[in-house]
Amino acid sequence: MKIVTGIISSLTLLSLNIVGLSHVQAQSQEEQEGFEFQPVPVTLAGNGCPSGTAQGIWNGDTLSITFDEFKALASPSKVVSKSCNLRIGLNVPSGLNVQPINVKYLGFADVPKGGSADLNVRILFQGQVVPTTDNPNQTFKSGFSDVWSKDVGIILNTINACKKPVNSIFGINSTLTSRATNIPPEQETQIQIDTIDTTVGPVLFQIKFDFNPC
């Protein structure tokens, strides 16, 4: 799979202006924890998620990324890879600490005898891969046919904007690979990220944040 490079320079980064958070100290603890159903435009790149098919929705402390589908499907003798790369520009106003704490996604894989499939996800902050407490990746061997799920904890320092605003970039790079090199005729190898059951639409990724006033 040819990984998409130079993506930051080629994308129009989403400016996530966190409106009203400068007044967070005057709010109740419940209100400090995030937002209620605020739509956010999202920029994606990759052959698995065409530009313009996604949006983000804030609800409480969670940013849900919605788009139609993300899957890789391979017929006999083929290897198919699909990529989807997300970038969010975080503009945090002064007087607040913000910390991404986990990313959730789930899906399905169906691998006939003689095939295999891979899920590869990299979580990034400021262009660097972020360490995680859980493995964000998985390999599905011949004969696997089932759902899978990931709830990946992020090891990342708080974005400290106590004294002045801070601009930063958060990203998720994901690749699905289906291999059907030696599978029987008329079968297919497939892997996909499915929608999470929420009230905000067809959510494929959920990013949870911790919001704390200084």
Side-chain angles (χ1 to χ4, degrees), residues 67-129:
F67 52 100
D68 293 336
E69 64 179 19
F70 180 29
K71 64 181 178 181
L73 185 65
S75 55
S77 78
K78 294 183 178 180
V79 177
V80 174
S81 290
K82 298 290 184 178
S83 68
C84 188
N85 302 286
L86 162 69
R87 291 294 184 274
I88 305 172
L90 296 175
N91 298 334
V92 183
S94 59
L96 190 72
N97 287 317
V98 175
Q99 184 179 23
I101 56 176
N102 79 307
V103 178
K104 182 179 180 180
Y105 47 101
L106 52 82
F108 173 77
D110 184 24
V111 184
K113 182 178 180 180
S116 66
D118 289 328
L119 164 73
N120 186 274
V121 174
R122 293 191 301 165
I123 300 166
L124 304 99
F125 184 75
Q126 296 293 78
Q128 301 297 316
V129 176

